[in-house]
Amino acid sequence: MGILAFDIGGSAIKYGLWEADRLIGQCAVALPKSWKCMKQALDDVFKEFSKTYEITGIALSAPGLVNEKIGQIQGVSAVPYIHHFPIQQELEALFSVPVTMENDANCAALAEVWQGTAKDVEHCLFFVIGTGVGGSVIINRKLFKGQNLFGGEFGYMFLNDSASLSDLGSSVKAVRKYNQLTKKSIHGKELFELAEAGDPLAEEITGQFYRAVATGIYNLLVCFDPGLVVLGGGISANQSVVEQIKKQLNRVLLERSVTDMDYRIEACTFGNDANLVGAVYHHIESIKS
């Protein structure tokens, strides 16, 4: 028996089967062009796993404002065709097993609370850095979603009169800026390596990035005082980047005379599997209740 987990992303659908307390069979398919094609792709994966395992439920991680009370994904995302219709009901009709769904950043946070970096704490903030900036608020080991499901949408935070945290604290946008100015086509890891090697432009752009991320985390620390901030997204695997964020945050705290703040910043444990593992945990807890 197992729980089949899907993670809908902007370019692909990742999947894996939770069986015997572990995630197996992780793979991905390219993002389909329509909801009809997506249903077919999901069903193909389901049928393939069903040849070997009895699947007892579907756990879905998705972008947007996931409203499980009405079985719909509200808001907007990079996958527009999954929004504003009874998607949960359609999937339950398709698979004939219980289907649960949760926001992707919330799933990643739940994975860390369940078995990862935050497994021994009561409160934390999960901070995801990538194309934009998102995250989750964990209070008493539970998701705090807010009245309108905007809890954790840190990227909307304005850092100045014209730019949000997602504008200035995105590693993807930092790389894009470097490429636009140099007419090159480097990737994210290369930007930070160039900065460490002394490339003046890379140093300037990564410095702006670190400052923006540190300012965003500072704003959250003084609002929630969680004790732990867990970093997610691709850059969390780069310990040098994590250390630079910590260094810049300490500077911001000193500048603002916040000298009695006890906190930790740690990279996430599950990396690319976090959304799948968290979706499974959400499914297990939902079925219990």
Side-chain angles (χ1 to χ4, degrees):
M1 294 194 299
I3 299 166
L4 183 57
F6 292 104
D7 175 35
I8 299 173
S11 60
I13 302 173
K14 298 176 184 177
Y15 60 85
L17 185 76
W18 186 263
E19 195 268 341
D21 294 326
R22 63 194 178 105
L23 193 65
I24 61 173
Q26 297 97 310
C27 198
V29 296
L31 183 71
K33 295 182 179 180
S34 67
W35 171 237
K36 180 180 178 181
C37 293
M38 179 179 283
K39 281 206 298 185
Q40 184 61 58
L42 298 179
D43 194 36
D44 288 344
V45 173
F46 179 85
K47 288 176 179 175
E48 187 62 31
F49 275 102
S50 295
K51 293 177 182 178
T52 308
Y53 302 95
E54 178 188 352
I55 298 175
T56 60
I58 302 295
L60 184 68
S61 162
L65 302 178
V66 178
N67 189 338
E68 209 165 11
K69 290 183 179 179
I70 62 172
Q72 296 189 27
I73 301 173
Q74 300 172 304
V76 295
S77 76
V79 192
Y81 59 74
I82 64 173
H83 292 265
H84 304 293
F85 72 96
I87 183 171
Q88 187 174 8
Q89 182 179 348
E90 284 200 23
L91 290 176
E92 288 184 335
L94 176 66
F95 296 120
S96 298
V97 296
V99 174
T100 58
M101 58 184 190
E102 183 54 272
N103 168 267
D104 46 12
N106 286 345
C107 284
L110 289 173
E112 299 301 319
V113 168
W114 187 25
Q115 297 182 358
T117 302
K119 65 181 180 180
D120 297 320
V121 302
E122 291 297 311
H123 320 299
C124 75
L125 298 175
F126 188 75
F127 199 89
V128 186
I129 302 169
T131 305
V133 177
S136 299
V137 179
I138 301 292
I139 298 176
N140 295 323
R141 300 186 60 78
K142 302 291 185 182
L143 286 170
F144 175 77
K145 298 184 182 183
Q147 176 73 21
N148 299 291
L149 304 178
F150 271 88
E153 295 290 346
F154 305 143
Y156 285 95
M157 184 191 312
F158 263 67
L159 299 186
N160 58 43
D161 289 341
S162 60
S164 69
L165 180 54
S166 276
D167 294 327
L168 301 179
S170 161
S171 55
V172 172
K173 290 175 183 175
V175 174
R176 186 180 302 156
K177 183 177 181 180
Y178 183 90
N179 286 337
Q180 288 173 342
L181 292 173
T182 62
K183 309 302 181 185
K184 295 181 179 180
S185 299
I186 68 167
H187 299 292
K189 185 179 179 182
E190 295 173 275
L191 175 65
F192 296 101
E193 290 174 346
L194 286 169
E196 289 183 3
D199 180 304
L201 181 59
E203 286 183 326
E204 179 183 352
I205 291 175
T206 57
Q208 293 169 349
F209 164 78
Y210 291 135
R211 180 72 181 190
V213 171
T215 302
I217 294 176
Y218 164 82
N219 289 335
L220 295 166
L221 283 178
V222 296
C223 288
F224 291 99
D225 192 15
L228 174 66
V229 177
V230 181
L231 291 180
I235 68 156
S236 65
N238 188 328
Q239 189 57 39
S240 176
V241 172
V242 175
E243 291 303 318
Q244 287 294 330
I245 291 172
K246 291 179 181 179
K247 181 178 178 180
Q248 189 62 233
L249 177 56
N250 286 334
R251 183 176 299 170
V252 174
L253 288 164
L254 285 173
E255 289 172 0
R256 306 310 302 171
S257 299
V258 182
T259 56
D260 297 318
M261 177 71 71
D262 184 20
Y263 71 93
R264 291 185 294 126
I265 297 180
E266 304 289 344
C268 65
T269 297
F270 285 103
N272 290 331
D273 287 337
N275 294 6
L276 295 173
V277 173
V280 168
Y281 176 64
H282 172 70
H283 182 88
I284 292 170
E285 292 298 302
S286 297
I287 296 301
K288 280 182 183 177
S289 58

